[in-house]
Amino acid sequence: MQTIKAGIVGGAGYTGGELLRLLLPHPAVEIAFVHSNSSAGKPVYEVHTDLFGDTDLKFSASLTQDIDVLFLCMGHGVSKVFLAENEIDSEIKIIDLSQDFRLKETAGKFVYGLPELNREQIKKASYIANPGCFATALQLALLPLASAGKLPESIYINALTGSTGAGQSLSTTSHFSWRANNISVYKAFTHQHLNEIGESLTQLQPGYAKNIKFIPERGDFSRGIFASVMFESTLTEEELYRLYNTYYESHPFTHVSAKGIDLKQVVNTNKCLVSIVKDGNDVLITSAIDNLLKGASGQAVQNMNLLFGLDEKTGLQLKASAF
């Protein structure tokens, strides 16, 4: 198996830490450097304490061009500035986990990195814009409908996310004393991930009016997204299951369940689980992912595997937290 030399920029945050946990045991990867301005010189395990005993890597303040792939794990708006200020060799593939290059108007040479939508384009790309966490969960709940031209006139979505979705920087709503035993709505109807969701759905169903009402909520747990997607359809439940199973049969991480799903089935994995319930013309699609894995770093590694011709599942057959 080939050896892929990887560099990580922004390695001290949640997504950088998850990338380290995935890449350290990955059979085809050698980590060349982990860059962090805030933690330069420190051992990686002083920040990601669960890695004590697993690696002697230290955070670096400098970059090297002797790599095959560069992961950008920085805040929104920072990746674009970083690439403008640092000339990266054109042979190096880039996977960006921010929102800077996800939309067509800002993408440039970046391909939108949702494998269940763009797997063949990803394989041929050099630059990947990793999807957002909510965007991943909601698109995987809707892509089969769009592929068949069956998106309904109106879609209503309620989705809860864990506290890690807000990133590592402290804020009022991330403190334990506020978050514990609490639920709140934020960015109702206006969440930024609606833009990339709309672009993906119209890619499969041109002309779709994008009439999606999305209510995001903060949950009192650390990781995961659980989404409830509601709409009306004349398709039978059997027809819906057939449509979803056919669409995802070649995608190893998205599974359609005939039973109800729960969050613990996906936490600490790169899976998305989807289930379907129909009552009259009312349809409920539920989807669940780990926001830091399938919603971020796991999907980034999945994209890396595709870029370098590896089996899509390499290094990503992870165990869920069942209890």
Side-chain angles (χ1 to χ4, degrees):
M1 186 180 289
Q2 64 179 308
T3 298
I4 302 166
K5 290 186 177 180
I8 300 172
V9 177
Y14 286 143
T15 57
E18 288 297 271
L19 263 177
L20 283 163
R21 295 176 189 99
L22 294 171
L23 295 181
L24 282 167
H26 193 291
V29 172
E30 173 190 326
I31 299 177
F33 67 84
V34 186
H35 180 276
S36 171
N37 288 323
S38 62
S39 300
K42 293 181 180 178
V44 162
Y45 61 75
E46 284 194 8
V47 174
H48 304 298
T49 55
D50 59 301
L51 293 178
F52 179 70
D54 293 333
T55 180
D56 293 323
L57 278 170
K58 292 185 177 181
F59 290 108
S60 170
S62 60
L63 310 174
T64 175
Q65 301 281 350
D66 185 23
I67 55 173
D68 302 301
V69 61
L70 180 65
F71 292 92
L72 302 181
C73 301
M74 300 177 288
H76 302 312
V78 182
S79 292
K80 186 176 182 180
V81 173
F82 175 86
L83 291 177
E85 294 178 347
N86 294 273
E87 187 173 347
I88 306 299
D89 190 289
S90 61
E91 296 299 311
I92 297 172
K93 298 183 186 295
I94 297 173
I95 301 175
D96 177 43
L97 278 73
S98 80
Q99 66 182 16
D100 291 11
F101 304 102
R102 291 173 186 163
L103 301 181
K104 291 176 182 176
E105 63 182 359
T106 59
K109 296 180 180 179
F110 280 77
V111 170
Y112 187 67
L114 185 64
E116 290 82 357
L117 176 68
N118 288 329
R119 183 162 57 191
E120 295 309 310
Q121 297 95 309
I122 291 166
K123 289 179 180 179
K124 303 171 187 175
S126 293
Y127 306 118
I128 299 296
N130 223 55
C133 52
F134 267 134
T136 296
L138 303 188
Q139 286 174 97
L140 294 178
L142 293 169
L143 289 181
L145 286 169
S147 72
K150 298 293 186 180
L151 285 171
E153 185 174 316
S154 298
I155 299 172
Y156 302 90
I157 302 171
N158 175 273
L160 285 88
T161 185
S163 58
T164 53
Q168 201 171 40
S169 298
L170 292 177
S171 66
T172 303
T173 56
S174 66
H175 283 291
F176 176 81
S177 56
W178 188 91
R179 194 96 181 199
N181 307 309
N182 201 7
I183 292 176
S184 64
V185 171
Y186 72 109
K187 296 182 180 178
F189 307 116
T190 63
H191 197 280
Q192 66 273 13
H193 288 185
L194 282 169
N195 295 321
E196 58 188 282
I197 293 167
E199 287 193 355
S200 295
L201 295 181
T202 54
Q203 178 179 326
L204 293 180
Q205 185 173 325
Y208 178 61
K210 308 178 193 177
N211 186 23
I212 301 174
K213 306 300 183 184
F214 174 33
I215 309 300
E217 294 185 351
R218 304 178 182 95
D220 63 342
F221 49 91
S222 62
R223 58 195 298 162
I225 289 175
F226 193 89
S228 300
V229 180
M230 294 150 283
F231 54 87
E232 292 186 356
S233 175
T234 57
L235 293 171
T236 66
E237 189 169 298
E238 182 181 349
E239 288 171 331
L240 286 164
Y241 268 107
R242 189 182 309 123
L243 176 62
Y244 275 67
N245 279 310
T246 299
Y247 188 91
Y248 288 124
E249 65 183 351
S250 65
H251 295 285
F253 291 112
T254 301
H255 306 279
V256 184
S257 173
K259 298 181 179 180
I261 60 174
D262 63 76
L263 198 58
K264 281 191 174 182
Q265 290 175 277
V266 298
V267 169
N268 289 330
T269 79
N270 197 54
K271 293 190 292 188
C272 174
L273 296 188
V274 176
S275 69
I276 303 166
V277 176
K278 192 158 192 284
D279 180 33
N281 281 340
D282 295 325
V283 178
L284 169 65
I285 308 287
T286 51
S287 68
I289 65 168
D290 185 313
N291 59 294
L292 291 178
L293 288 170
K294 185 57 176 166
S297 302
Q299 190 149 249
V301 172
Q302 185 180 354
N303 282 321
M304 180 200 73
N305 289 339
L306 291 170
L307 286 175
F308 290 93
L310 301 177
D311 186 301
E312 204 167 338
K313 303 186 296 296
T314 305
L316 290 171
Q317 292 174 297
L318 309 170
K319 176 188 173 298
S321 296
F323 47 83

